[in-house]
Amino acid sequence: MHGYQRSSGIERLDRGMNRLQDRGGSLDHDRDNIRIVVQQVPAEHKKERTFSYLPWPVKLLLKFGLFAAVMSSIFVLPNYLDCRNQQESGMFYYGMTVSACTRQNVYGQIGTTQKRFEDIARAIGAR
């Protein structure tokens, strides 16, 4: 027993050996006694996050909303800004809007990426 803190395991009861000598008792009285101590380890204090107090639908919305915002800023925002610049410089066809231009550019980017993956798959399959 280190510092009189209990833990799980087997311990000897020889801590009172010197007290018995002082009182005139025998040395071998408590020396060979063994006790089994079973105790749970105290739980560590964990700092709770503010996110843990939110209900699960809000957590789910935050996780997917953040993912959607990042993905749209990576793929849609550059195309939108490009279309805005084209509109300001007068490079649009008659009746073309910024949203139609953005949609056309995003679909073109998705098609180009899909074609690249198909070409890579064909190159791997041709080996």
Side-chain angles (χ1 to χ4, degrees):
M1 291 182 28
H2 302 288
Y4 296 111
Q5 291 180 346
R6 290 186 180 177
S7 61
S8 298
I10 299 174
E11 300 176 354
R12 288 198 175 273
L13 292 176
D14 55 358
R15 68 175 184 194
M17 192 168 79
N18 292 334
R19 284 187 297 176
L20 287 174
Q21 282 182 343
D22 294 340
R23 293 181 189 161
S26 94
L27 249 174
D28 296 331
H29 178 65
D30 281 337
R31 186 173 182 161
D32 292 330
N33 290 341
I34 296 176
R35 68 176 169 183
I36 298 175
V37 178
V38 179
Q39 183 179 358
Q40 290 181 348
V41 177
E44 293 182 22
H45 178 67
K46 293 183 180 179
K47 184 177 177 182
E48 293 186 20
R49 291 186 270 168
T50 309
F51 194 69
S52 64
Y53 291 111
L54 295 174
W56 69 269
V58 175
K59 288 181 193 177
L60 189 68
L61 183 67
L62 282 175
K63 287 180 182 178
F64 286 123
L66 183 63
F67 178 74
V70 168
M71 287 297 133
S72 65
S73 69
I74 290 172
F75 294 109
V76 177
L77 187 64
N79 293 317
Y80 173 76
L81 294 176
D82 185 40
C83 288
R84 290 286 291 209
N85 289 336
Q86 285 180 8
Q87 181 191 28
E88 290 173 0
S89 63
M91 295 176 60
F92 270 176
Y93 297 113
Y94 179 75
M96 178 70 95
T97 61
V98 174
S99 62
C101 174
T102 304
R103 191 172 30 251
Q104 182 180 4
N105 287 347
V106 169
Y107 288 154
Q109 184 179 9
I110 291 172
T112 303
T113 305
Q114 182 177 1
K115 185 172 181 340
R116 286 182 192 160
F117 281 130
E118 289 173 354
D119 291 342
I120 291 170
R122 284 190 192 110
I124 291 172
R127 288 183 176 183

